Amino acid sequence: MTREEVAKMIDHTLLAATATRAQIKKFCGEAKKHSFASVCVNPCWVKAAASELAGTSVAVCAVIGFPLGAETSAVKAFAASQAVADGADEIDMVINIGAAKDNDFDAVQGDIQAVVKASKEAGKNLAKSVLVKVILETCYLSDQEIEAASLAAKKAGADFVKTSTGFGTPKDKDGKPLPNGACVRHVQLMRKAVGSEMGVKASGGIRDAKSAAALIAAGANRLGCSAGVAIVEGWEG
């Protein structure tokens, strides 16, 4: 796989609460230079990113229900529709994690479906196709819950399942922080669950080409990371 091919799999991500307009502009410039798949930003920056990326092949991705996934479905659906109207081409939504932990995957599916419907309809009104990616926040889920949540996303009509927000704070019984990002095993579980019909996005803690290559080999076909430039520049292929 070449550098150019890897670059087209990267969602160049800037989701910090402290992100400034100058930083958004810089990230968009990097995305244009390397022809990344998208720039992934908070909804308040969608218009700015869309302006910076107009006329390029780089999409604008907005996160919804981020990072907790705890808004109501109606709020998530409205936010997704607004983001598309503002210029988003892709939506990355966080599932109702509590519902997943309750084993209520009908609720998980319904939540996703509301966002998918709103996003697709908003895109249709603008004569464009909108991708919806579903963030499972795998650091909080068991293997069985990851599989069930992946299937719920598939049934709801989403285009991708995604591992993580990168903002999760799991801890062990002694209060010690646990890993919160993408890992090979979770990507493999997700790919097995959804088959070849959906995309799998690995996100969270991907900082170098070696990590990116392992996740791609496990089944990821999109990578969400703030270190996109380092990954592409460090890629040997």
Side-chain angles (χ1 to χ4, degrees):
M1 185 174 287
T2 66
R3 283 186 178 183
E4 292 74 19
E5 289 170 330
V6 172
K8 291 185 183 300
M9 299 171 69
I10 291 175
D11 289 346
H12 200 35
T13 303
L14 179 55
L15 297 170
T18 54
T20 64
R21 185 174 296 275
Q23 289 174 316
I24 295 292
K25 184 174 182 178
K26 176 177 180 287
F27 255 63
C28 289
E30 292 169 348
K32 286 188 282 189
K33 177 181 178 181
H34 294 284
S35 296
F36 290 143
S38 81
V39 165
C40 189
V41 297
N42 283 304
C44 64
W45 292 118
V46 167
K47 285 185 178 180
S51 177
E52 292 289 336
L53 296 169
T56 75
S57 63
V58 182
V60 177
C61 175
V63 293
I64 299 297
F66 194 90
L68 301 178
E71 288 91 342
T72 65
S73 299
V75 169
K76 289 180 184 177
F78 175 82
S81 181
Q82 184 65 58
V84 173
D86 286 345
D89 307 292
E90 303 184 357
I91 297 294
D92 282 20
M93 68 157 291
V94 186
I95 66 166
N96 183 328
I97 301 165
K101 297 306 295 182
D102 272 338
N103 201 36
D104 188 355
F105 288 98
D106 286 340
V108 173
Q109 182 179 332
D111 187 56
I112 298 167
Q113 208 155 17
V115 174
V116 170
K117 181 180 179 182
S119 302
K120 301 291 185 180
E121 287 182 353
K124 186 177 180 180
N125 290 337
L126 295 170
K128 68 178 182 180
S129 178
V130 176
L131 287 180
V132 178
K133 310 188 209 91
V134 177
I135 306 172
L136 308 186
E137 200 68 298
T138 53
C139 64
Y140 292 130
L141 304 180
S142 68
D143 289 359
Q144 293 76 19
E145 289 163 347
I146 290 170
E147 180 180 9
S150 297
L151 291 174
K154 186 174 184 178
K155 291 175 183 176
D159 301 289
F160 276 76
V161 284
K162 174 180 170 181
T163 58
S164 321
T165 65
F167 287 76
T169 55
K171 297 178 181 178
D172 66 14
K173 59 183 176 63
D174 298 317
K176 181 180 178 182
L178 295 170
N180 70 346
C183 73
V184 165
R185 186 171 63 82
H186 288 166
V187 168
Q188 290 171 332
L189 281 171
M190 293 159 67
R191 174 53 72 195
K192 183 178 180 181
V194 302
S196 60
E197 297 84 12
M198 288 180 71
V200 173
K201 177 176 172 179
S203 182
I206 310 170
R207 298 186 177 88
D208 54 46
K210 182 179 179 181
S211 298
L215 292 163
I216 292 169
N221 58 329
R222 192 74 76 93
L223 304 173
C225 44
S226 59
V229 173
I231 289 168
V232 169
E233 292 181 349
W235 192 267
E236 296 180 2

